[in-house]
Structure formats: structure tokens, C-alpha cells
């Protein structure tokens, strides 16, 4: 790491970190380096959805998952800081034109540990971002919402409750991917996959790959199934892999609210392909859009 880099960072009074999946891909040392840097600098870290799990949802350093909607970086306060420190960014998730609302500097993930030893701490406490607080006001009450069709956050929480350690849950781009990226309380790195590009069938394909190496796998999508997703589903059955497929479908049977979580829990890890159709009230997505603007991930969402 060059001394000029640490000098630039230490010279900025108001600063923030934007972390992407490159940190995860760089391995455990880079992840530990980012966490050490955040603690040493007393700095908040926002992550793109490909880096969910870098910090627990209730960590004081966690500013939220971002890059999904047009106002994300504005609500994170990126326009009010002196310096944005990026690391491991995937431009398919967050192009610089969206997040560079202030001067930026990039740190290679392997350099984070050394930077943690060279950085000076911010004196001001880390405050929750407006994005985190406003999204939480919609998502958190939804986790236990008793209504059918399900609140999307409840549909996400039902899947989260069914996952054992080491499991993998994937979601197709679009409304399911949006709610997964927003609402899934990730505590384990590598447990969530939502593609950075609009590629129908990719999420189910990733779940199939996980199942092939022995991971418990859940794939989430919505009806009507895209042709690519249908072919991937048929491929899972043909390859005899164990995958649970959760389909958000307005036409799914209206059962008791707890029935869906019970069905997913029972299906997880059972042999073969199990499809569970769940009615979800996607009209609630309008509440997210009212807060953070239109969806910009995947070139926009339906």
C-alpha cells in the first residue's frame, strides 16, 4: 500500500466505504482486513448486494445494502462526505456514475489489512444512514406480518428461517431479487446470490451448482417462469439434484400464513426438486420505490 493512499484517507474528515463482491472473492484475509479497517477508522461501510454479509445487519459499521435503486447513494449521504473509499466494486452492480457523489479513492482488497494499521480514527460516531433507517421501517414490520398474500419481507424471512448453516439461497433478478437483496438478513458470507446482470435462469443454475457439491440450496423466482428459468428447473430434475424452488405467484393457494414457512422448512434438503408456490403482495414494492426511487439494478426491474 502506498503512503500517499493512507495520507489521502487520513486527510479526509468525513469519509465512507463502499464495498463490493471483490472483497469476498479475495478471501477471508481481505474480509478480515475490511472489518479491521472499519474498526480502526471508526467508519461506516455500505455494501453492494454481491457483498451481503461482510458485516452483520446490526453491526455499528453496517450502513446497508445499496446500488439497487436510484436514490440509494444520496440517502447514504455520499454527497455529504469528503471522500468515498471503494474496494472490490463490481461496476455491473454500481457504476461510478451512480456512487461518485464526492471524490473517490480505490483500495485493493488485499491492501485493507495494511491500511487498517495506517489509518486514523474518525472522532465522530457512526450514524445510521437514512437509507438504512427508511428501508428498515418497511422491512422490519414485514418480517412477522400475518397477512396473506405475504408481505415480501415475510416471504424472505420464511426462507431465511429454513436455512441451515452452510446453505445457499439464490434469487432471480427483478422483484424477488430486489426484496432478497434488501430484506435478507445475511449473517454468513456466500450464503446469498443475486446476479449482477439480468440473466434469467442464472440463480437457479447457481443453486443447482451448490447442490451438486452438497450444499442445501434454495432458489427463488416468480411466476410466470421465464423460459430460461423453466429450462434450468428441468435441468435440475434431469440431473437429480436436491433443490427447493420457491416461486412467488399471485395465483398460489391462500393458506394459513405459517403454512408457507412450514412447507419450505420441510422441503429443504429433501431429495429431488421441490417447488413451493407462495402468494406475495408485490404491490408493497411501491413503498420501497417511494423511499429510494426506481430500481436501477439489472437495467431496471419490472
Amino acid at each position: 500500500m502506498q503512503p500517499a493512499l493512507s495520507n489521502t484517507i487520513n486527510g479526509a474528515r468525513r469519509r465512507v466505504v463502499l464495498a463490493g463482491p471483490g472483497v469476498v472473492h479475495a478471501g477471508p484475509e481481505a474480509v478480515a482486513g475490511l472489518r479491521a479497517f472499519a474498526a480502526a477508522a471508526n467508519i461506516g461501510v455500505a455494501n453492494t448486494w454481491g457483498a451481503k454479509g461482510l458485516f452483520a445487519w446490526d453491526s455499528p459499521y453496517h450502513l446497508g445494502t445499496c446500488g439497487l435503486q436510484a436514490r440509494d447513494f444520496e440517502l447514504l449521504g455520499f454527497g455529504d462526505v469528503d471522500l468515498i473509499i471503494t474496494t472490490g466494486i463490481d461496476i455491473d452492480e454500481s457504476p461510478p456514475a451512480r456512487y461518485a457523489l464526492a471524490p473517490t479513492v480505490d483500495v485493493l482488497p488485499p491492501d485493507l489489512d495494511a491500511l487498517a494499521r495506517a489509518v486514523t480514527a474518525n472522532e465522530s460516531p457512526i450514524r445510521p444512514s437514512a437509507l438504512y433507517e427508511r428501508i428498515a421501517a418497511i422491512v422490519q414490520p414485514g418480517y412477522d406480518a400475518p397477512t396473506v398474500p405475504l408481505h415480501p419481507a415475510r416471504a424472505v424471512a420464511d426462507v431465511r428461517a429454513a436455512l441451515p448453516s452452510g446453505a445457499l439461497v439464490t434469487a432471480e433478478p427483478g422483484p424477488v431479487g430486489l426484496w432478497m437483496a434488501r430484506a435478507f438478513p445475511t449473517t454468513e458470507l456466500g450464503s446469498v446470490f443475486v446476479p449482477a446482470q439480468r440473466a434469467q435462469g442464472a440463480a437457479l443454475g447457481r443453486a443447482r451448482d451448490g447442490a451438486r457439491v452438497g450444499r442445501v440450496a434454495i432458489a427463488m423466482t416468480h411466476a410466470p417462469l421465464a423460459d430460461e428459468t423453466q429450462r434450468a428447473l428441468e435441468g435440475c430434475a434431469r440431473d437429480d439434484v436436491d433443490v427447493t424452488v420457491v416461486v412467488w405467484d399471485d395465483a398460489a393457494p391462500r393458506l394459513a400464513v405459517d403454512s408457507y414457512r412450514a412447507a419450505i422448512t420441510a422441503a429443504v434438503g429433501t431429495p429431488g426438486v421441490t417447488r413451493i408456490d407462495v402468494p406475495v403482495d408485490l404491490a408493497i414494492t411501491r413503498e420501497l420505490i417511494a423511499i429510494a426511487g426506481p430500481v436501477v439494478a439489472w437495467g431496471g426491474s419490472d
Side-chain angles (χ1 to χ4, degrees), residues 102-122:
T104 67
V105 62
D106 190 63
V107 177
L108 296 175
D111 291 340
L112 289 164
D113 183 63
L115 184 60
R117 296 191 293 271
V119 73
T120 56
N122 281 338

Side-chain angles (χ1 to χ4, degrees), residues 57 62-65 72 75-76 126-141 182 287-288 291-292:
W57 66 270
H62 179 54
L63 298 180
T65 297
D72 280 10
L75 293 173
L76 281 165
I126 301 170
R127 302 187 183 281
S129 69
L131 178 67
Y132 185 95
E133 291 182 328
R134 295 181 188 185
I135 295 296
I138 295 171
V139 167
Q140 290 181 358
R182 281 289 188 223
E287 298 181 21
L288 294 182
I291 287 173

Side-chain angles (χ1 to χ4, degrees), residues 43-216:
I43 191 171
V45 180
N47 58 265
T48 60
W49 69 91
K52 285 178 70 66
L54 284 173
F55 292 87
W57 66 270
D58 57 351
S59 166
Y61 306 111
H62 179 54
L63 298 180
T65 297
C66 60
L68 296 153
Q69 293 176 249
R71 296 187 62 207
D72 280 10
F73 297 109
E74 171 196 342
L75 293 173
L76 281 165
F78 275 28
D80 301 323
V81 300
D82 300 314
L83 185 67
I84 301 165
I85 304 159
T86 62
T87 185
I89 296 302
D90 179 347
I91 61 171
D92 285 333
E93 290 186 335
S94 292
R98 292 189 196 141
Y99 68 73
L101 306 183
T104 67
V105 62
D106 190 63
V107 177
L108 296 175
D111 291 340
L112 289 164
D113 183 63
L115 184 60
R117 296 191 293 271
V119 73
T120 56
N122 281 338
E123 296 181 0
S124 301
I126 301 170
R127 302 187 183 281
S129 69
L131 178 67
Y132 185 95
E133 291 182 328
R134 295 181 188 185
I135 295 296
I138 295 171
V139 167
Q140 290 181 358
Y143 284 142
D144 296 314
T147 54
V148 178
L150 301 187
H151 190 294
R154 173 64 186 258
V156 167
D158 284 356
V159 170
R160 177 65 182 85
L163 285 184
S165 178
L168 171 67
V169 58
T170 70
E172 297 283 6
V176 180
L178 172 65
W179 279 99
M180 275 294 298
R182 281 289 188 223
F184 194 89
T186 309
T187 56
E188 187 175 348
L189 275 172
S191 62
V192 177
F193 170 73
V194 182
Q197 297 180 332
R198 185 177 288 278
Q200 300 296 342
L204 193 53
R206 179 66 68 91
R208 178 194 60 214
D209 293 343
R212 282 174 170 167
V213 296
R215 297 183 73 178
V216 171

